[in-house]
Amino acid sequence: MRIQIINGPNLNLLGIREPEIYGKKGFEDYLHVLRDAFPKIRIDYFQSNSEGELIDKIHEVGFDRDGIVLNAAAYTHYSIALLDAIKSVNAPVVEVHISNIHQREDFRHHSVISPACKGVICGFGLDGYRLAIDALQRLR
Ligand code: CA2
């Protein structure tokens, strides 16, 4: 099984800024935890601050991965281009948010990408990525 994690804008700052919201761990460190938790699954990781690069990555991997775990960050709330990209591929996409977006500002309450995603996990910190991979492996 092969799963792609895709993180959107500013998530390269995890562990460096706003630890009270996003925790103290950087994503590269957390990847070791994830890979240890799923030794039989190949987990690829990509992060970009650019909408076009995120779309290109979804197109590139969306037909040969068993699933995509996507934290589109702020693009979640307004990118119809990402919505269309998710709709255009076969792989099931699980939308993940580290924070509980419903406890935050009103503009974060709505996700334009959720209708194209298999499911949504939010509010469990980085553990949300583990929950998403577990959900994807149960789809098989
Ligand atoms: O809770 C999430 O995972 C979000 O997708 C994170 C996005 C935010 O725009 C969404 O509403 C919810 C923001 C990512 C910014 O990440 C940072 C990490 C550390 C320091 C500063 C920003």
Side-chain angles (χ1 to χ4, degrees):
M1 209 183 167
R2 189 170 177 189
I3 283 176
Q4 179 75 47
I5 297 173
I6 301 178
N7 274 346
N10 298 306
L11 287 165
N12 54 311
L13 298 176
L14 278 180
I16 302 172
R17 298 274 163 82
E18 301 193 58
E20 65 290 352
I21 302 176
Y22 300 111
K24 289 183 192 150
K25 220 184 192 95
F27 203 83
E28 303 285 344
D29 289 339
Y30 179 66
L31 260 184
H32 296 296
V33 176
L34 266 186
R35 289 181 174 136
D36 285 349
F38 299 102
K40 293 188 181 147
I41 300 179
R42 181 165 166 191
I43 300 172
D44 302 309
Y45 174 59
F46 177 79
Q47 187 276 331
S48 176
N49 295 323
S50 145
E51 186 179 27
E53 286 184 9
L54 296 169
I55 291 165
D56 287 343
K57 190 54 146 182
I58 291 169
H59 293 169
E60 178 197 323
V61 303
F63 294 93
D64 74 358
R65 300 294 195 273
D66 299 293
I68 297 174
V69 177
L70 174 64
N71 185 344
Y75 289 134
T76 302
H77 311 299
Y78 66 91
S79 175
I80 306 301
L82 269 177
L83 169 70
D84 289 343
I86 296 165
K87 279 185 180 167
S88 76
V89 297
N90 289 339
V93 176
V94 179
E95 177 183 347
V96 167
H97 300 287
I98 297 164
S99 61
N100 183 343
I101 54 177
H102 303 288
Q103 289 175 343
R104 302 184 64 190
E105 304 96 318
D106 285 354
F107 66 85
R108 296 188 201 274
H109 295 182
H110 183 65
S111 164
V112 301
I113 66 169
S114 294
C117 293
K118 184 74 187 170
V120 183
I121 294 169
C122 81
F124 293 100
L126 288 177
D127 197 41
Y129 292 84
R130 184 188 62 78
L131 295 169
I133 294 172
D134 189 45
L136 284 168
Q137 73 174 351
R138 286 164 197 275
L139 291 178
R140 297 199 88 211

